[in-house]
Amino acid sequence: MHRRTLGLTLGCALSAFANAAAAANPAFAAPSGFQGAGLGMGDQRVRAWTEATFYTQEAVTTAAATFGAGYRVSDSLELEALLPIAYSSLKTLYTDDSAGGVRSEREDALAVGNPYLGIGRVHLEGTLRYKAGLGVTLPIGTDEYPDAAAGAVTAATYGLQDLHLWYPHAMALAAPLRIEIGDPVVLGVDAMPVLFLFTSDVVSKDTEFFVQVAPGAGVYATDELLVGARLPVACSGDIGDGAQVALEPYARFDVGGGFLNARFTVNLDETLGFAFDTGKYWGAHLGGGLVF
């Protein structure tokens, strides 16, 4: 009799736990930790993630990583921090009078980008889900060669999305936003206006306004596998024709208390594309994270 009662009690407890876990789903259908992947995966308070990027052509090879962490101070409020780091091997040309021409050398650069600190309002219940935040980057990035080149190439591999993490001599005020609707087919948009406040006399102006937007769609092929594509667009007066457009297919796999993600940025137009032409830019990104 006691065994039967114990079995029923355990069964009810496991059923309640399963229902509670199901109630926490669906998780935020974001392609990577940048947009909030990991949010909604259970009742976690902390998420830690990283995303690495890789790019190579004859003149430059770049490998970079962004490390991120978020802490849920409540069900609807998250504190967030990002730290970007980039390494590049650059082919640099020098005039060499003694050799009667031009010589080239390889230079290595290791650059720390601008750390980001922010706070976001998170809403995961119902059909319409969103994350809206406000944050600031600290002006750590330098414009000295070759470190500045490492940061610039890394920004190019993302189609200039999240440029505030790499812009030298600039503190930035950013307002990241993600809105998504639907399940298992998810329509979404990531957007962020940024105001750059320049901290050096090297720059001839005091401020610069920048905006990025990335509409996209994803579908859960299984309960754990999300696949989709985005169309990132970056707009600034400093970009050649005023806008930089890219195409970005992605996949994310949720496993246990974490996730793995992969995406590929293809710059479509000037000034960074077409991606696979000589001297132009693409980016292969691989990341993952854990929730606690």
Side-chain angles (χ1 to χ4, degrees):
M1 182 67 179
H2 291 294
R3 291 182 179 179
R4 183 180 179 185
T5 302
L6 180 61
L8 288 173
T9 302
L10 289 174
C12 291
L14 290 173
S15 176
F17 177 80
N19 290 334
N25 291 325
F28 223 52
S32 80
F34 276 100
Q35 292 83 33
L39 286 170
M41 298 176 69
D43 296 324
Q44 90 284 356
R45 286 297 176 188
V46 178
R47 64 187 180 104
W49 59 270
T50 185
E51 185 171 273
T53 183
F54 177 78
Y55 164 83
T56 186
Q57 278 204 14
E58 181 182 359
V60 58
T61 295
T62 292
T66 300
F67 301 91
Y71 175 69
R72 298 274 291 280
V73 295
S74 70
D75 289 342
S76 60
L77 201 63
E78 183 189 41
L79 302 178
E80 189 174 21
L82 306 177
L83 177 65
I85 299 175
Y87 164 81
S88 284
S89 175
L90 305 157
K91 182 179 180 181
T92 307
L93 300 179
Y94 295 94
T95 301
D96 190 342
D97 295 333
S98 63
V102 176
R103 62 183 176 87
S104 65
E105 290 184 357
R106 279 280 174 182
E107 291 191 73
D108 294 333
L110 181 63
V112 177
N114 301 320
Y116 171 85
L117 301 172
I119 188 169
R121 171 86 161 73
V122 179
H123 177 78
L124 290 167
E125 298 177 359
T127 304
L128 180 66
R129 303 171 291 276
Y130 65 85
K131 175 187 174 186
L134 184 65
V136 60
T137 59
L138 307 179
I140 302 300
T142 177
D143 63 353
E144 296 182 2
Y145 186 85
D147 291 359
V153 172
T154 302
T157 68
Y158 281 102
L160 300 185
Q161 299 286 296
D162 301 297
L163 180 62
H164 61 298
L165 297 178
W166 298 106
Y167 213 121
H169 294 306
M171 183 172 71
L173 302 178
L177 170 68
R178 176 175 176 81
I179 301 174
E180 62 180 47
I181 186 171
D183 181 39
V185 177
V186 181
L187 302 178
V189 61
D190 301 297
M192 182 167 60
V194 180
L195 179 65
F196 289 107
L197 307 173
F198 296 107
T199 59
S200 172
D201 294 336
V202 174
V203 184
S204 60
K205 52 190 173 182
D206 296 326
T207 63
E208 172 74 16
F209 184 71
F210 176 89
V211 64
Q212 65 184 52
V213 61
V219 59
Y220 280 98
T222 69
D223 290 342
E224 295 82 20
L225 179 61
L226 173 71
V227 294
R230 305 192 311 154
L231 192 70
V233 180
C235 300
S236 168
D238 286 348
I239 300 174
D241 60 358
Q244 177 63 55
V245 182
L247 176 65
E248 191 174 82
Y250 65 84
R252 194 190 81 204
F253 182 70
D254 298 333
V255 52
F259 64 92
L260 300 172
N261 72 272
R263 50 183 177 148
F264 194 88
T265 305
V266 180
N267 288 304
L268 298 178
D269 63 348
E270 295 289 349
T271 58
L272 302 180
F274 181 65
F276 305 110
D277 292 343
T278 301
K280 301 302 182 178
Y281 299 91
W282 48 265
H285 319 291
L286 182 65
L290 295 171
V291 297
F292 308 92

